[in-house]
Amino acid sequence: MTGARWGAGFAAVGRFVAEIEAAAAGKGPLRPSYVLVGDEVFLQDRCRAAVLRGFVPPDLRDYCLSDLDLAETSIFEVLDRAQTPSLMAPFQVIFVRNVKQLYSRGAKKDEFAALDRYFRSPNPQALLVFVADFLRIPSDARRMEMDDKNRFERLTETLGRHCGMVELARVSEEDAIRWTAAAAQEGGARMDPDATRQLVDALGADMMLISSELEKLLLYTLGLGRITLGDVETMVLAAKQRSLY
């Protein structure tokens, strides 16, 4: 899936993955933290997968990977964990969810002051990844709603001072079609253009659903090397129709 000009979301993920892969190979710097901005779960998962591939060995996963939620864990505890070297692993990765907690119920001056102190001298053996999925970035950023614009500006003024910002814009219909055709090809099947468009149209360019249904289609057409409109109608549209009843 190289050589094509992707929309903002895919392009941002491509840059992030390239940076993570270079750092993991010792060929580039790694920032102490990143913020995954936007509610496009499909793209979030691709970013997470890149971090896990690069910095979380499967045999050390229990010792070097943390998933923390700011609704349950304070940012002070998060930063304390980041500052504390792991006794069982040389490097640790900390994903931080519910970032909206930093932007609700008061100014959170103490919290942001603690973040500023940490990033003055971050632990080089730790990577913080904040998941800011409380705002939506449309495929055309010019159409972002005012509330989301304000949230994005606030993120940029605070976490954005220290972290790499990865803008996960919603995937456009054109990108969804392009990705689906390319993913089918990688899966060993050529997908007819009308089948690709029908799949994307039927699922409203929801990339998580498209990815899931494409896996089913690849299994359904295994060995045939082709996915047709009839296959989509049989496997996807018929299943969708049954779910309504």
Side-chain angles (χ1 to χ4, degrees), residues 30 50 120 124 145 151 153:
L30 179 69
R120 287 191 202 116
E145 294 184 0
R151 295 183 185 111
E153 289 176 2

Side-chain angles (χ1 to χ4, degrees), residues 19-230:
E19 188 169 325
I20 291 295
E21 289 177 345
K27 298 179 180 178
L30 179 69
R31 305 186 199 202
S33 182
Y34 296 86
V35 186
L36 307 182
V37 188
D39 64 353
E40 180 55 85
V41 178
F42 177 79
L43 297 181
Q44 286 177 22
D45 285 353
R46 291 167 76 91
C47 292
R48 179 183 175 91
V51 172
L52 297 186
R53 284 195 307 270
F55 295 101
V56 181
D59 58 331
L60 295 178
R61 188 182 182 111
D62 291 342
Y63 306 109
C64 68
L65 175 64
S66 300
D67 282 285
L68 303 179
D69 189 325
L70 289 182
E72 303 167 354
T73 307
S74 73
I75 193 64
F76 307 108
E77 295 173 85
V78 171
L79 297 175
D80 183 63
R81 181 170 298 195
Q83 289 170 324
T84 305
S86 171
L87 298 176
M88 303 297 291
F91 193 88
Q92 58 179 324
V93 173
I94 302 171
F95 283 90
V96 184
R97 297 192 173 275
N98 240 325
V99 173
K100 66 180 178 182
Q101 296 292 323
L102 284 173
Y103 300 91
S104 60
R105 302 176 196 154
K108 297 293 194 326
K109 291 182 179 179
D110 292 341
E111 286 83 347
F112 286 115
L115 284 161
D116 287 341
R117 287 193 299 273
Y118 173 78
F119 285 116
R120 287 191 202 116
S121 183
N123 180 3
Q125 302 306 315
L127 173 64
L128 283 165
V129 182
F130 294 93
V131 182
D133 54 4
F134 61 100
L135 57 83
R136 180 181 186 276
I137 304 177
S139 56
D140 183 351
R142 294 171 297 181
R143 298 183 178 181
M144 190 186 297
E145 294 184 0
M146 186 57 65
D147 285 347
D148 285 331
K149 284 184 179 179
N150 293 335
R151 295 183 185 111
F152 184 82
E153 289 176 2
R154 180 68 173 140
L155 271 170
T156 303
E157 293 166 355
T158 51
L159 287 176
R161 293 172 54 199
H162 313 290
C163 311
M165 299 281 283
V166 186
E167 299 176 27
L168 305 181
R170 285 295 184 94
V171 175
S172 68
E173 184 175 288
E174 293 76 14
D175 269 356
I177 289 171
R178 187 184 304 164
W179 179 89
T180 302
Q185 191 74 39
E186 288 184 357
R190 181 180 67 81
M191 195 165 185
D192 291 350
D194 55 352
T196 307
R197 181 166 290 280
Q198 182 68 282
L199 178 64
V200 172
D201 286 347
L203 300 178
D206 184 319
M207 291 302 299
M208 292 298 285
L209 283 176
I210 290 170
S211 177
S212 175
E213 293 303 317
L214 180 59
E215 286 185 19
K216 297 175 187 176
L217 284 164
L218 287 168
L219 288 173
Y220 180 69
T221 59
L222 188 64
L224 300 177
R226 180 186 179 196
I227 299 174
T228 67
L229 177 60

